[in-house]
Amino acid sequence: MEIGLDLGTSSVIGLLCEAGRPRAEARRALTTASPMPYASEQTPGDWWQAARAVLAELVTPLPEAERRSIRAIALSGQMHGAVLLDAAGDVLRPAMLWNDGRAHAECGLLQEALPGIGTRAGVPPLPGFTAPKLLWLARHEPETHARIAHVLLPKDYLGLCLHGGYATDPSDAAGTLWFDQSRRCWSGALCAASATNPGWLPPVLEGAQVAGQILPQVAADLGLSPKVQIVTGGGDAATGAVAVGAVEDGTGLISLGTSGQFLLAGNDYRPNPGAFVHAFAHTLPGRWYQMAAMLNGARPMAWFAGVSGAEIGALLQEAAEVPETRVPLFLPYLTGERSPHGDPHIRGGFFGLEDSTSRAAMMRAVVEAVAFCFADAVRSFGPAAQGLAPLPRS
C-alpha cells in the first residue's frame, strides 16, 4: 500500500491506496492569515500538525500487518510558497504563499536587472513566485533574511518533517523564478538578482525519485515500517497532470481549486512570457508544460458563500434557476490575477446590480466570471490550444 499526501491551501489531504486504487481518505483544514495588505501567509508547523493527523487517521484503523505493509508516502502541494529555515532547520517566519502579492515592486526590480528573465525562468516576475519574496524580505525584513540557511517549497517542508532531508523536484523548482527551465537546474544569475544564496536551495530530484526514508520516530509514532520511502513528488499542477495522463505532447487539463489552471503538456520548453503563460519543467524527465494560472479559481464562489451565509451547493442550485437576462457582471479578481493580466493590484467587484438582484443572481455572476477566466486562459495560448488532444476515457 502507498499514501499520497497533498498540501493544499485550504487543507491537507491524504489518500491511502492499495494496488493503485483508493481505499481511504482523510483531510484537515488549514487557515490563512493576511497580516497586511496583499499578504497571504500560513504557518508551516500547522501543515505538519495537519499532516500528522491525516496520516494517523489513515493508518490507525488498519491491522498492524497492513500498517507495516505501507511502502511509500508521496508528496504534492501548493507551489511558490517560501518556507524559510535557519541553520538548525527551524522555521524563521510564516510562509508567504502563492497568492501573496506584497512583492510587486520587487518584480519590477527583477525585470530591470534581467530583461530576459521571462524566457529563462518560464514567466515574467510576478509577486506570487518565490524569488520576489526573498528580495522583499531582504528589503523589508533584513534581520530575518540574514538568518536564512535553507529555503523550501511547501510540500518539501513536509518532506523534511518526514525524512529529515532537503529536496525538491523540477516542477516545484520551476515555480520559483530561480530555475533555468530549459537546463532544468538552479540559475546563479536568477538567484543573484533576487538576494538569494544558491546554497540555500535544495537538490533537485525527479518527481518519482525517493527523497529519503521515513524518520524512525515518525514511523514509530504512526506504527509504520521504518523502511517507508518518501517520494519527492511534485507541485500540485504537475502531479495533477500526471494523475490524468497529461504528460505527452498535446494533452492537457483544466484544474479548478482555490486557484485555477489550464495546462498543456509538451516535450519541449516553449516560453511565452508576453501572455503571462507559465512554461515550466514537468515533474517527469524530459517533459515540460505551458499553463495559464488564475489566482481566482473556485475561491470567489467560497468567498461569496461566506459573505451570503449559505452553502456553495445550495447557492449553485439557486443560480441555475436565474434568468440569463437578470445576471449582473462580476470581476473575480479578489487577490489580483496572473494569466493573462499579470496584475497584482486588480480587484473584484459587481456591476449592474439592481434593486431586484438576488443572491442567486449574484452567485450565477460569480460562476460565469470564473468560466470567463478560463476562456481568457485558452485565448492566451493562441494556436497552441487549438490542437489540444482529448485524454482517453478510463
Side-chain angles (χ1 to χ4, degrees):
M1 291 191 290
E2 300 86 21
I3 292 175
L5 193 63
D6 177 69
L7 171 54
T9 309
S10 58
S11 61
V12 174
I13 304 173
L15 188 66
L16 176 67
C17 294
E18 184 174 14
R21 295 182 177 275
R23 176 165 167 176
E25 180 180 317
R27 67 177 63 212
R28 291 294 185 277
L30 299 171
T31 58
T32 302
S34 182
M36 65 178 69
Y38 296 98
S40 180
E41 298 182 345
Q42 289 180 336
T43 302
D46 292 345
W47 300 340
W48 176 231
Q49 184 177 2
R52 285 286 297 268
V54 163
L55 291 171
E57 183 176 334
L58 290 174
V59 304
T60 299
L62 300 176
E64 181 180 358
E66 289 193 340
R67 285 203 311 273
R68 306 285 290 188
S69 73
I70 294 173
R71 301 179 302 165
I73 299 173
L75 303 173
S76 67
Q78 52 169 298
M79 299 172 65
H80 316 309
V83 183
L84 310 177
L85 309 173
D86 64 15
D90 295 326
V91 176
L92 290 171
R93 71 178 313 285
M96 299 163 69
L97 302 187
W98 55 272
N99 56 353
D100 191 293
R102 75 187 90 176
H104 46 82
E106 286 69 26
C107 290
L109 296 177
L110 285 173
Q111 188 68 58
E112 291 177 8
L114 294 171
I117 187 172
T119 300
R120 182 181 299 187
V123 69
L126 294 168
F129 291 98
T130 327
K133 295 181 176 74
L134 269 289
L135 190 53
W136 185 91
L137 284 160
R139 301 176 73 204
H140 297 277
E141 296 183 13
E143 299 85 359
T144 299
H145 188 272
R147 296 176 60 199
I148 296 172
H150 304 278
V151 182
L152 290 177
L153 284 305
K155 73 142 185 358
D156 302 320
Y157 177 74
L158 291 187
L160 173 66
C161 295
L162 285 166
H163 61 73
Y166 299 96
T168 193
D169 79 292
S171 69
D172 234 354
T176 62
L177 283 182
W178 292 315
F179 203 59
D180 187 315
Q181 306 291 347
S182 62
R183 298 175 59 220
R184 297 172 80 96
C185 64
W186 300 120
S187 165
L190 295 174
C191 289
S194 57
T196 301
N197 183 339
W200 298 343
L201 307 182
V204 180
L205 308 177
E206 297 295 347
Q209 281 187 261
V210 174
Q213 201 160 280
I214 193 169
L215 290 170
Q217 188 59 56
V218 178
D221 290 346
L222 295 170
L224 299 175
S225 165
K227 297 181 180 180
V228 170
Q229 296 179 325
I230 310 302
V231 179
T232 305
D236 51 6
T239 51
V242 171
V244 301
V247 295
E248 300 299 335
D249 201 29
T251 58
L253 65 82
I254 287 176
S255 174
L256 184 61
T258 303
S259 60
Q261 295 93 31
F262 176 76
L263 181 149
L264 186 62
N267 300 328
D268 303 300
Y269 176 51
R270 303 166 185 167
N272 184 10
F276 291 97
V277 171
H278 303 28
F280 284 172
H282 217 315
T283 193
L284 298 179
R287 296 288 188 276
W288 286 260
Y289 63 86
Q290 292 177 293
M291 181 178 70
M294 287 74 74
L295 298 182
N296 303 277
R299 173 57 189 159
M301 291 187 282
W303 165 80
F304 185 69
V307 169
S308 62
E311 295 293 329
I312 292 179
L315 286 170
L316 289 173
Q317 290 181 346
E318 294 176 12
E321 305 298 323
V322 176
E324 295 182 15
T325 56
R326 304 303 293 272
V327 179
L329 176 69
F330 178 65
L331 298 178
Y333 309 121
L334 301 178
T335 54
E337 190 54 290
R338 283 195 199 160
S339 306
H341 304 297
D343 187 346
H345 307 291
I346 191 173
R347 285 297 180 264
F350 284 99
F351 177 78
L353 297 176
E354 302 176 274
D355 183 61
S356 60
T357 300
S358 65
R359 74 176 190 183
M362 296 175 75
M363 183 62 172
R364 177 159 181 153
V366 172
V367 174
E368 288 182 352
V370 174
F372 286 135
C373 283
F374 277 93
D376 285 344
V378 173
R379 282 194 294 270
S380 69
F381 276 77
Q386 304 306 313
L388 184 62
L391 295 171
R393 292 187 178 182
S394 58

